Amino acid sequence: MSQRRQLSLNLFVYPGGHHEAAWRYKGTDIARLNDIAYYQDLARRAEAATIDSLFFADGPVLADNIRYAARYRVEPITWLAAIGAVTSHIGLIATASTTYNEPYNLARLFASLDHLSHGRAGWNIVTTSQGAASQNFGLAEHPVHAERYEKSREFVEVVTKLWDSWEDDAVIADQASGLFADTDRIHAIDHIGKHFKVKGPLNAPRTPQGRPVYVQAGSSEDGRSFAAQYAEAIFTAHQTLKSAQGFYADIKSRAVALGRRPEHIKVLPGLSPFIGSTQVEADRLEDEFNDLVQPEYSLAQLKRMTGLDLSSYDLDGPFPRHLLDLKGSVATASRFQLILDVVDRENPTIRQLINRLAGARGHFVIAGTPERIADEIQLWFENGAADGFNIMPPWLTGGFDAFADEVVPILRKRGLFRTEYAGTTLRDHYGLPRPESRYSGASLRASA
Ligand SMILES: Cc1cc2nc3c(=O)[nH]c(=O)nc-3n(C[C@H](O)[C@H](O)[C@H](O)COP(=O)(O)O)c2cc1C
């Protein structure tokens, strides 16, 4: 009997939580944001709820609106290594840029994370949209979008070859004969490309998952085509079922056209839930957060996403739709389109729009009872919009606890989410195959 399709649920961790005013909320333990014990504890609770993975975002530059929000970064692979040491099942996904790293270094870091966690590492592959990062790396300017994606393809090819460079059975470790490794099964990669020249092999054995899981989070044309080829999980932002369905169908059909199986590419939209025992209570909770919003911060965010400086406008006046122009200075085209859709659909005031985006930077925010949130998850899951979700608690840790304690049991009862882990690796949780090394059997062929 075939197993019923199951949801994949990640916990997307942001310092303090995802709502931009989370750090000001009375329930947020602001003093512990740099305390690894706080994250280890959160990870243990997520593991008790059989969540697929913890996911950390990253970018190699300080946010320009740090004055009003706790939007700084700790390096996620370092952080996840410490979390991996006190957990046994939950996946560990770190974001790392292909624009501001070297493939050999990054291949080592993720291979190490996969080894130390016994097969739980995932790499969220981003090209970095924040242009100011270039100034931290001695570049005259941030490479343009198309160039970043072109480089990222070669980057991923190099990293993949490095992860494949040791065949599974390369380590013999025969103490009696004195033979440690079969060097016919360890391969130089001899990569010479436009951006990288890497001889290889990697200086560590093949990892438990063969390769860490490839995650991707871009939604532009280049981003989708990249995802269809490489990604095994995709993080994406959608405000409506219809928009998510369009994205889902597009990604799956692109993957199929490339000869991939659609179930091997998980589409996971962001979801930020405000949970209350009644609808009124949930709405009140959301209002409480929105009352803490600081317009200086929100307007800077809006400027980053739309190119519009609205600091001299009346916040309670209508949003000036006619000024929206994608050709302006916009970090992410897909997020711009999402905002345009919200404005066209809801005709909000400027304040209503910034409150709408405050919850999770354009991801889907829902306030409701646990049943209503479970209904929405089920609706998207069963109607071609999602294979699961990236859960983005408005604040931590209480916002996650409410989800784990009240929504997860409903999803389990409906047979949509596991009650225990079926395996121990992130590939097991996502139902992904363990890839073979491209060099497997090469030594046999050479000697045949
Ligand atoms: C859930 C989610 C998380 C993301 N996390 C990061 C991140 O941590 N660092 C980053 O540089 N970009 C991040 N992005 C942005 C994308 O990876 C990508 O850089 C951006 O969307 C531009 O790509 P696009 O033009 O193809 O959409 C994230 C996007 C989503 C949807």
Side-chain angles (χ1 to χ4, degrees):
M1 200 177 78
S2 72
Q3 157 89 16
R4 184 172 175 191
R5 182 172 160 253
Q6 295 280 295
L7 281 161
S8 301
L9 297 175
N10 296 327
L11 169 56
F12 183 176
V13 182
Y14 237 53
H18 284 272
H19 193 283
E20 66 186 37
W23 71 279
R24 302 183 68 200
Y25 181 61
K26 59 182 186 297
T28 302
D29 200 352
I30 194 69
R32 296 191 69 203
L33 292 190
N34 296 330
D35 178 357
I36 187 63
Y38 162 90
Y39 295 92
Q40 288 170 326
D41 186 40
L42 178 65
R44 283 191 201 98
R45 279 188 264 173
E47 194 164 76
T50 60
I51 295 292
D52 291 71
S53 82
L54 287 194
F55 159 52
F56 279 67
D58 197 36
V61 62
L62 182 64
D64 51 10
N65 40 16
I66 189 74
R67 185 179 177 88
Y68 299 106
R71 293 300 191 231
Y72 63 89
R73 307 277 189 203
V74 291
E75 196 290 305
I77 301 175
T78 314
W79 226 242
L80 286 168
I83 290 170
V86 299
T87 51
S88 56
H89 286 73
I90 195 160
L92 308 167
I93 302 178
T95 298
S97 172
T98 53
T99 306
Y100 297 106
N101 277 300
E102 281 290 326
Y104 199 88
N105 283 342
L106 208 67
R108 293 188 68 200
L109 286 166
F110 277 102
S112 301
L113 186 64
D114 207 45
H115 277 295
L116 78 82
S117 64
H118 305 291
R120 294 185 279 142
W123 172 26
N124 180 34
I125 307 164
V126 300
T127 65
T128 301
S129 51
Q130 301 138 287
S134 61
Q135 295 167 39
N136 293 334
F137 293 84
L139 295 188
E141 45 190 38
H142 187 51
V144 297
H145 194 267
E147 206 178 308
R148 296 202 304 274
Y149 269 105
E150 181 207 71
K151 188 176 175 188
S152 77
R153 285 173 177 273
E154 189 182 336
F155 195 115
V156 172
E157 291 294 336
V158 175
V159 168
T160 305
K161 287 182 197 169
L162 288 168
W163 286 335
D164 282 353
S165 63
W166 290 55
E167 294 183 46
D168 280 314
D169 45 5
V171 176
I172 295 167
D174 184 347
Q175 292 178 316
S177 71
L179 197 61
F180 179 73
D182 178 351
T183 46
D184 287 344
R185 290 183 159 81
I186 302 174
H187 305 273
I189 69 167
D190 290 320
H191 176 89
I192 300 175
K194 180 170 170 192
H195 301 279
F196 303 108
K197 195 170 168 200
V198 181
K199 180 149 182 53
L202 197 66
N203 56 355
R206 190 162 171 80
T207 75
Q209 293 188 104
R211 301 170 195 156
V213 173
Y214 295 62
V215 181
Q216 193 271 356
S219 292
S220 61
E221 178 57 36
D222 285 339
R224 289 175 189 220
S225 119
F226 178 93
Q229 186 167 353
Y230 299 105
E232 296 171 295
I234 304 186
F235 300 154
T236 180
H238 296 279
Q239 290 278 337
T240 63
L241 175 70
K242 192 158 169 270
S243 150
Q245 283 170 326
F247 181 81
Y248 188 97
D250 180 49
I251 286 291
K252 300 273 178 170
S253 68
R254 284 174 192 247
V256 169
L258 292 170
R260 299 187 59 196
R261 287 177 49 179
E263 67 273 24
H264 290 166
I265 178 164
K266 305 276 165 201
V267 176
L268 307 173
L271 175 72
S272 188
F274 283 96
I275 303 166
S277 56
T278 61
Q279 185 63 45
V280 171
E281 194 183 302
D283 289 338
R284 203 180 295 137
L285 183 63
E286 185 176 7
D287 288 346
E288 204 179 327
F289 275 78
N290 285 342
D291 287 345
L292 295 172
V293 159
Q294 302 183 89
E296 295 89 339
Y297 178 90
S298 317
L299 290 171
Q301 278 279 89
L302 193 63
K303 185 171 174 210
R304 207 170 69 75
M305 294 196 268
T306 63
L308 289 186
D309 181 357
L310 300 181
S311 49
S312 61
Y313 281 64
D314 174 10
L315 288 180
D316 294 310
F319 183 86
R321 161 74 171 85
H322 61 287
L323 296 179
L324 280 177
D325 173 11
L326 184 53
K327 288 194 283 302
S329 156
V330 175
T332 307
S334 50
R335 214 55 72 90
F336 177 92
Q337 185 61 47
L338 182 149
I339 292 170
L340 193 63
D341 291 346
V342 171
V343 171
D344 284 346
R345 212 169 43 243
E346 300 174 11
N347 195 20
T349 63
I350 295 173
R351 191 188 303 278
Q352 283 166 339
L353 182 68
I354 63 179
N355 282 349
R356 190 82 145 74
L357 300 174
R361 307 175 300 288
H363 287 270
F364 183 39
V365 179
I366 179 170
T369 60
E371 287 74 19
R372 163 136 195 256
I373 288 162
D375 288 349
E376 198 72 22
I377 288 175
Q378 185 166 1
L379 183 73
W380 287 43
F381 182 58
E382 292 182 344
N383 290 280
D387 294 308
F389 290 87
N390 230 0
I391 303 301
M392 305 170 64
W395 85 102
L396 288 169
T397 58
F400 173 70
D401 293 336
F403 183 82
D405 295 344
E406 293 162 40
V407 181
V408 166
I410 300 173
L411 298 173
R412 284 176 168 167
K413 207 185 262 155
R414 295 182 188 176
L416 298 171
F417 191 54
R418 65 174 76 87
T419 51
E420 54 187 41
Y421 291 107
T424 56
T425 70
L426 180 54
R427 288 187 177 280
D428 291 336
H429 307 337
Y430 282 162
L432 297 170
R434 183 180 187 279
E436 278 235 22
S437 161
R438 76 190 57 207
Y439 303 106
S440 275
S443 47
L444 285 180
R445 284 196 297 278
S447 61

